[in-house]
Amino acid sequence: MKQGVKNCVKDFRKRKGITQDQLAEAIQVTRQTIIAIEKQRYEPNIGTAIKLAKTLDCEMKDLFWIEGDF
C-alpha cells in the first residue's frame, strides 16, 4: 500500500460549523487550499497543520495520520 498523509479536516470543520472560507481566513490560506487539503490532494506544511488543529480545537494526531507502509 502506498504511504500517504490522510486527514479528517472536513469532518472537524463541519462539527465546528464553519465554512471553508471561514477556515481559510482563520489560518491565512486560500479557500482552494482548504478544498485541496479536504480532498486529500495537498499535504499542508507543519505550520498550516498546527494552525488547522488549533482553529478546529483538536489535536494534530486526531486531524492527520499516515496510512500505509513505511
Side-chain angles (χ1 to χ4, degrees):
M1 179 186 281
K2 186 181 176 189
Q3 178 179 322
V5 175
K6 301 294 181 185
N7 74 75
C8 53
V9 171
K10 185 176 185 176
D11 295 334
F12 277 93
R13 177 180 60 76
K14 286 190 168 201
R15 280 186 223 154
K16 191 147 173 83
I18 60 175
T19 66
Q20 291 172 330
D21 284 321
Q22 290 169 323
L23 181 55
E25 186 176 327
I27 67 166
Q28 300 175 325
V29 298
T30 65
R31 179 174 166 263
Q32 288 73 23
T33 299
I34 299 299
I35 291 168
I37 292 169
E38 288 185 352
K39 292 188 175 203
Q40 316 290 329
R41 286 189 262 153
Y42 174 71
E43 294 177 8
N45 64 36
I46 191 72
T48 301
I50 291 168
K51 288 178 185 177
L52 280 166
K54 185 174 181 178
T55 302
L56 296 172
D57 296 322
C58 63
E59 299 289 327
M60 239 174 53
K61 66 180 178 60
D62 297 327
L63 198 57
F64 296 95
W65 66 94
I66 295 177
E67 194 169 89
D69 300 328
F70 283 95

